[in-house]
Amino acid sequence: MGTAQSREDHITDSDDYESEEEEEQKSEDEDQYDDAEDNYKPPQTASSNPNSKTLESSVDDVDARLKALKLKYGSSSSSSSASAAQGQNAVKLYLHVGGNTPKAKWIVSEKTAYSFIKTSNVDGDGDYDDDGRMDREGEWVLKVGSKVRARVSTDLQLKMFGDQRRVDFVSKGVWALKFYTDEQYRRFVTEFQDYLFENVYGVKATEENKVKVYGKEFLGWVKPEAADDSAWDYEDSEKSPKSATPVRPSHDLMEEFEEAANGGVQSLTLGALDNSYLVNENGVQFYRNFNHGIHGKGVCAKFDTGGSSLGKSTPKKALLMRAETNMLLMSPFKEGKPQANGLQQLDIETGKIVTEWKFQKDGTDITMRDITNDTKGSQLDPSESTFLGLDDNRLCQWDMRDRAGMVQNIANANSPVLHWTQGHQFSRGTNFQCFATTGDGSIVVGGLEGKIRLYSKTSMRQAKTAFPGLGSPITHIDVTYDGKWVLGTTDTYLVLICTLFTDKDGTTKTGFSGRAGNKIPAPRLLKLTPLDSHLAGTDNTFQRGHFSWVTENGKQERHLVATVGKFSVVWDFQQVKNSAHDCYRNQQGLKSCYCYKILLKDESIVESRFMHDNYGTNSPEAPLVVATPMKVSSISLSGKR
């Protein structure tokens, strides 16, 4: 458990860092040169003291140490380094070693130069075609000396340090580039962002092409530095100050307890009332809600999918309804595909599947890839009989009652069919992936191309506002209860969008209720540092970003949480919204926030979610529940320990 700030060092321009070759030689000769090692004190890192800068040694000390280790300076490498340093693309390349241990440090890998190369041979060494001409097709690649060759993409997790003329990134390790001048640094960042745009959209990053991609209404996304950020600092004057209490630095993630989860956990479903649930390959496990987390009740509602016509795989989606007395379970019809052709209805009180429902429209079986409640709090409504469905090109509402408005007679219905009450089947091009609802029933939908569409509660046919994509598919989406903020999840970052704007009459609205035009501010990105991204492991994609959970007008969500491999990552919502936050200094392009807390588990996390605000009365926040395939943990956010 820790924060992003505790994992980064301050790289200076001094040459007191070991070279990569020195590090390898030191490891080999460690036993022979103990005396030399005893006389050397490694630099203090930020991981041991977040507020300290790395201690510096003199060049003479480094020379003496190199001689003690019997290392020779290579004349050819020195000559090439000096030559590279004279070029406009000259850089120092550093490699981070030691992970997150006390011995972690940066070592000089090369004094070299970087270049951007456009090639179809992204992973290879050759950049020329069979005729010996430079390959001008393919994609842009970043090449740094002999050590780094990587496609220009968000996978690099590039982080900028303008005050240090430095960028960090991930490519089979964690690297840093230090530039000799401010002009070199700014040129590199501009080139990287332009080539990233070209790799994503297939066109050069001209002003004209950017307007074509993002639209005239979203010029703030083209030039974030010129955008009006005042909406980010908007606070409703009627809101209680207690509802947006910032988290102090002393607040930490404290694990209350952990329980075995009987294995194979597929999803976590939290209730706002008495119970929460884990769905695994055996059935639905029941847990009791408390102010400090959830406890297993030793009850499991088992389901047999062997005779089901709706697929034989374990349900991947569970939805509570009717004052949390019923649960809808959706299983993929084909393994490896998200779509389902129906769902099962579980009676919580009896623990039994009471019926199976099929998705049909005009007498024809159809599929759904996702379902959700009509509103963010409608699962608490005992009379709720409708819910929303989403497929690649469908957005609709389903009703479990018949056309006359009466609940279907389950006992007499051979194959009950859900009634398509309203919605729209789009002809092509929507590529819907995920959706969520606000407190009043407005709908936000994330798409494969990265677009985020806002639909009012009165129409599913045409979006009131459609945000352009940033090039990465939206894999999960959430929205605040009041609809003012949207959180989209991509593989490499979270995108946070403010939907507020002021119309021509001076009234503040959200993009769900009116067409915002060019009045919507630029989004902000929530990212991991390159080091944390690397430490998260091979399965280091962002999954299921959520706001903390409120279902009452006037209350404000306080945190955001997402899972990345074995990490559960928590951001302070008010800090992210603060335009004066330190993270945003010296950045070019869209603002990115790297201030977060991390909870580390010993296996990949299935899902992390905050409990309902009802259970946060004695703490800065309701408990965080973290589910892995084998365990479930309850985490408190407290500064009292």
Side-chain angles (χ1 to χ4, degrees):
M1 285 177 277
T3 64
Q5 295 91 326
S6 67
R7 296 186 150 112
E8 291 185 332
D9 299 329
H10 185 95
I11 300 179
T12 71
D13 286 325
S14 171
D15 285 328
D16 62 341
Y17 291 88
E18 301 168 28
S19 71
E20 193 172 357
E21 290 76 13
E22 286 179 71
E23 179 71 14
E24 294 172 356
Q25 185 70 32
K26 187 185 78 173
S27 178
E28 294 173 2
D29 298 342
E30 195 171 29
D31 295 334
Q32 299 179 34
Y33 301 103
D34 285 340
D35 292 340
E37 289 296 309
D38 291 341
N39 294 326
Y40 174 72
K41 295 182 179 180
Q44 183 178 1
T45 66
S47 59
S48 60
N49 185 353
N51 297 318
S52 67
K53 293 186 177 181
T54 306
L55 302 178
E56 298 183 11
S57 305
S58 69
V59 175
D60 291 340
D61 291 338
V62 177
D63 288 339
R65 180 168 173 267
L66 292 174
K67 292 174 183 177
L69 291 173
K70 298 182 180 181
L71 294 177
K72 296 180 180 179
Y73 291 103
S75 58
S76 62
S77 62
S78 297
S79 175
S80 61
S81 296
S83 176
Q86 296 175 3
Q88 64 174 356
N89 291 350
V91 290
K92 285 183 184 178
L93 177 66
Y94 293 81
L95 175 66
H96 193 277
V97 296
N100 195 32
T101 68
K103 295 183 178 180
K105 59 187 175 184
W106 291 100
I107 60 174
V108 177
S109 181
E110 280 186 290
K111 292 181 181 178
T112 183
Y114 76 88
S115 60
F116 289 103
I117 301 167
K118 193 170 187 181
T119 175
S120 55
N121 191 14
V122 173
D123 299 319
D125 295 325
D127 302 314
Y128 297 87
D129 60 22
D130 294 337
D131 297 328
R133 294 174 298 182
M134 179 67 79
D135 185 356
R136 296 298 180 186
E137 301 299 324
E139 298 182 294
W140 286 101
V141 169
L142 170 64
K143 193 171 183 291
V144 186
S146 62
K147 303 291 185 180
V148 174
R149 182 188 178 96
R151 178 179 177 269
V152 176
S153 73
T154 56
D155 292 340
L156 293 178
Q157 295 286 3
L158 189 85
K159 181 179 181 183
M160 295 171 276
F161 298 84
D163 55 339
Q164 299 183 47
R165 300 194 303 270
R166 161 190 165 196
V167 296
D168 293 2
F169 61 94
V170 180
S171 178
K172 301 176 183 177
V174 182
W175 305 89
L177 292 180
K178 284 217 68 179
F179 301 86
Y180 293 95
T181 67
D182 289 337
E183 191 276 332
Q184 283 179 313
Y185 166 78
R186 289 192 298 269
R187 187 178 68 251
F188 173 88
V189 172
T190 299
E191 288 178 332
F192 182 90
Q193 292 176 338
D194 285 348
Y195 295 142
L196 175 62
F197 181 93
E198 188 170 341
N199 276 357
V200 169
Y201 299 107
V203 294
K204 291 186 180 297
T206 63
E207 295 300 312
E208 182 182 1
N209 285 336
K210 289 180 181 179
V211 171
K212 286 181 179 178
V213 168
Y214 295 122
K216 294 180 180 179
E217 297 84 2
F218 297 96
L219 295 179
W221 298 45
V222 178
K223 294 182 177 180
E225 61 278 1
D228 181 7
D229 273 358
S230 59
W232 282 95
D233 299 308
Y234 172 86
E235 288 293 341
D236 192 338
S237 59
E238 297 179 359
K239 193 171 296 180
S240 166
K242 294 182 180 180
S243 67
T245 304
V247 177
R248 300 182 183 90
S250 59
H251 290 150
D252 206 352
L253 299 172
M254 307 296 296
E255 189 163 57
E256 294 282 0
F257 56 88
E258 184 177 76
E259 294 184 24
N262 297 325
V265 172
Q266 299 289 329
S267 66
L268 167 67
T269 303
L270 295 180
L273 301 178
D274 295 334
N275 299 318
S276 290
Y277 310 88
L278 289 178
V279 178
N280 65 12
E281 51 203 17
N282 296 318
V284 179
Q285 307 285 334
F286 288 51
Y287 288 78
R288 179 75 174 181
N289 291 338
F290 294 95
N291 281 332
H292 56 272
I294 65 174
H295 282 286
K297 298 175 69 174
V299 177
C300 177
K302 296 186 177 181
F303 43 77
D304 179 16
T305 59
S308 173
S309 62
L310 304 178
K312 300 181 180 180
S313 59
T314 302
K316 299 294 193 295
K317 178 76 177 185
L319 187 70
L320 288 170
M321 292 187 66
R322 296 177 177 171
E324 300 184 357
T325 62
N326 282 250
M327 178 184 288
L328 302 181
L329 299 165
M330 196 165 75
S331 304
F333 184 62
K334 293 182 179 179
E335 197 65 41
K337 299 288 186 180
Q339 280 84 0
N341 60 352
L343 47 81
Q344 296 174 309
Q345 183 179 345
L346 173 71
D347 186 300
I348 298 293
E349 187 173 334
T350 63
K352 294 182 179 180
I353 301 293
V354 294
T355 194
E356 291 184 352
W357 300 92
K358 281 192 173 183
F359 298 124
Q360 282 190 2
K361 184 179 187 298
D362 301 328
T364 302
D365 290 348
I366 60 174
T367 60
M368 291 281 114
R369 67 180 300 131
D370 200 4
I371 55 174
T372 195
N373 298 103
D374 286 348
T375 72
K376 213 170 184 68
S378 61
Q379 70 185 62
L380 303 175
D381 181 0
S383 64
E384 181 191 24
S385 294
T386 59
F387 60 93
L388 302 179
L390 183 82
D391 204 16
D392 294 354
N393 63 339
R394 300 183 183 102
L395 176 61
C396 65
Q397 183 184 58
W398 295 103
D399 195 336
M400 293 188 292
R401 299 168 297 183
D402 67 13
R403 293 179 182 275
M406 299 295 292
V407 176
Q408 293 195 32
N409 187 337
I410 303 301
N412 297 331
N414 185 27
S415 297
V417 174
L418 291 162
H419 175 44
W420 173 302
T421 58
Q422 62 170 317
H424 189 64
Q425 182 162 304
F426 299 87
S427 58
R428 58 185 174 82
T430 52
N431 293 317
F432 294 151
Q433 298 290 295
C434 48
F435 69 152
T437 52
T438 67
D440 69 357
S442 299
I443 306 167
V444 56
V445 183
L448 182 64
E449 75 290 358
K451 284 187 178 180
I452 293 177
R453 297 171 172 89
L454 309 184
Y455 293 87
S456 72
K457 59 184 179 181
T458 58
S459 174
M460 300 181 189
R461 179 175 292 273
Q462 186 173 11
K464 284 287 187 181
T465 303
F467 296 105
L470 295 175
S472 300
I474 303 297
T475 60
H476 185 272
I477 204 156
D478 197 12
V479 61
T480 56
Y481 186 80
D482 57 20
K484 295 175 182 177
W485 311 92
V486 169
L487 183 67
T489 304
T490 76
D491 284 350
T492 52
Y493 56 84
L494 303 180
V495 54
L496 181 64
I497 295 175
C498 174
T499 71
L500 293 169
F501 72 97
T502 303
D503 66 11
K504 60 183 180 181
D505 297 324
T507 304
T508 299
K509 294 182 177 180
T510 71
F512 292 100
S513 59
R515 297 195 178 279
N518 59 6
K519 301 178 181 65
I520 290 284
R524 292 183 182 170
L525 307 182
L526 281 64
K527 297 181 177 180
L528 291 186
T529 65
L531 178 57
D532 283 336
S533 179
H534 183 66
L535 294 176
T538 54
D539 184 23
N540 63 350
T541 58
F542 279 79
Q543 303 281 342
R544 300 183 182 91
H546 291 282
F547 292 102
S548 50
W549 188 15
V550 301
T551 55
E552 185 179 335
N553 285 320
K555 288 192 173 183
Q556 179 66 65
E557 293 81 355
R558 299 173 182 173
H559 292 92
L560 309 99
V561 63
T563 65
V564 186
K566 297 179 181 180
F567 290 167
S568 181
V569 190
V570 177
W571 284 265
D572 173 8
F573 190 19
Q574 187 168 341
Q575 189 177 60
V576 174
K577 290 188 290 183
N578 181 9
S579 296
H581 178 39
D582 286 347
C583 253
Y584 303 138
R585 291 190 301 112
N586 300 312
Q587 290 191 11
Q588 286 181 236
L590 295 176
K591 290 183 171 67
S592 298
C593 183
Y594 295 92
C595 292
Y596 47 76
K597 294 182 181 293
I598 284 180
L599 175 77
L600 172 65
K601 306 302 290 182
D602 56 6
E603 58 181 336
S604 291
I605 296 171
V606 174
E607 191 158 11
S608 303
R609 295 199 65 175
F610 282 101
M611 294 181 67
H612 191 275
D613 189 61
N614 290 340
Y615 294 97
T617 54
N618 299 320
S619 172
E621 181 61 272
L624 176 67
V625 179
V626 179
T628 69
M630 302 301 294
K631 299 175 183 177
V632 60
S633 305
S634 296
I635 317 296
S636 69
L637 186 64
S638 175
K640 299 179 181 180
R641 303 186 178 209

